[in-house]
Amino acid sequence: MSKRWDAEIYFDGGSRGNPGLSAGGAIIKYQDKTYVVEKFLAHATVNEAEYTGCILGLEKALELGCENIKIFGDSQVVINQIQGLWKVKAANLFEYYHRAIELSKQFNQCQIQWIRREHNQEADAICNQCMDKSTGVTLIREESIDLPVCEPVTKLSKQIQEIVKLGEKASFKHFKNLKSGNDQFSGIKLVQLIESVPVNVWKLIQQSVTEGEEWQTKALRWYLRGLPVEHCIHKVKVDWEISQNAVRSKFKK
């Protein structure tokens, strides 16, 4: 760290749905110690989450007594708006922007710099872990470790294998793009599906998919198509979020 700066802040934000389940987080490096702050957002855009991460980092730095700080983030929107290079046009970002500016003025020196996403992986991991913890994904992952898995159906095999290989790094887009079409599992009803899967698989899906029987049915179908149970649950959560966003958009028109 340069002698000019007594603290460095790395912030990030993520959204599964954009808007959707989101989180902002930051890492503050100060006096040879590392501090972590995070916040779960039930429904937000990715830019709102990014600003949240930045604000959390600034607030924590002030609390710690930092005086000369350098902020790093991979959001061009947040970085360029705070630097005054881009105008804030989205009404939903006005409050976030003004809060970030207000906080930044409370330091002796404050500089903000854009970095590539691969150089911001620690802050990115904090956001994903925050979303996982808040939505029960971490617990689901632990409970699903020893559960059996079905052989992936041929036409989905490549996509399923990629998701399994990526594990926690599988993105919203991976699940969004996973589509079965009308196949041999599409018409199977919930009662038949329950009888077709191991008891522990059904119990975990029943406990984790709280959006209703329709979505539990979808999760069971994905299990029979070869998607491991933790990914089945994630898949239907993604599809549910997409459906809710579509409903909100319809009402806005």
Side-chain angles (χ1 to χ4, degrees), residues 4-181:
R4 181 181 175 186
W5 314 107
D6 59 16
E8 290 181 347
I9 300 172
Y10 293 81
F11 74 89
D12 199 19
S15 178
R16 295 173 180 172
N18 194 27
L21 299 171
S22 306
I27 295 171
I28 302 91
K29 297 183 179 182
Y30 176 59
Q31 293 185 344
D32 298 321
K33 292 184 179 180
T34 299
Y35 302 87
V36 174
V37 284
E38 61 185 43
K39 183 177 182 180
F40 176 71
L41 306 166
H43 190 79
T45 67
V46 68
N47 288 330
E48 289 170 341
E50 291 276 7
Y51 260 115
T52 296
C54 182
I55 290 166
L56 288 170
L58 289 167
E59 289 175 339
K60 186 63 178 180
L62 282 171
E63 178 188 317
L64 292 170
C66 305
E67 296 181 350
N68 304 297
I69 65 167
K70 192 166 186 179
I71 312 167
F72 301 91
D74 57 47
S75 168
Q76 293 198 28
V77 170
V78 173
I79 301 294
N80 286 313
Q81 287 180 349
I82 290 177
Q83 288 180 335
L85 300 175
W86 292 2
K87 291 183 179 180
V88 183
K89 296 181 180 180
N92 63 308
L93 298 182
F94 288 158
E95 184 178 345
Y96 293 93
Y97 167 77
H98 289 299
R99 177 60 176 161
I101 294 296
E102 175 192 4
L103 290 166
S104 67
K105 289 180 178 178
Q106 296 181 49
F107 298 92
N108 289 340
Q109 293 185 88
C110 178
Q111 186 180 104
I112 189 164
Q113 179 180 323
W114 179 82
I115 55 174
R116 297 179 68 87
R117 188 172 182 180
E118 55 263 33
H119 298 146
N120 201 30
Q121 291 184 359
E122 285 184 274
D124 176 71
I126 287 168
C127 295
N128 280 304
Q129 289 165 12
C130 179
M131 286 186 278
D132 285 352
K133 285 186 294 184
S134 299
T135 55
V137 171
T138 303
L139 180 61
I140 291 167
R141 187 175 294 125
E142 291 171 355
E143 292 187 0
S144 65
I145 289 174
D146 297 323
L147 293 177
V149 179
C150 298
E151 185 70 23
V153 295
T154 304
K155 72 173 184 177
L156 297 171
S157 179
K158 187 175 180 180
Q159 282 180 283
I160 289 175
Q161 288 172 5
E162 183 180 8
I163 287 172
V164 172
K165 184 178 179 180
L166 288 169
E168 296 179 31
K169 294 182 180 179
S171 67
F172 184 94
K173 189 175 180 180
H174 283 103
F175 289 97
K176 179 183 177 182
N177 291 341
L178 184 63
K179 301 181 186 299
S180 66

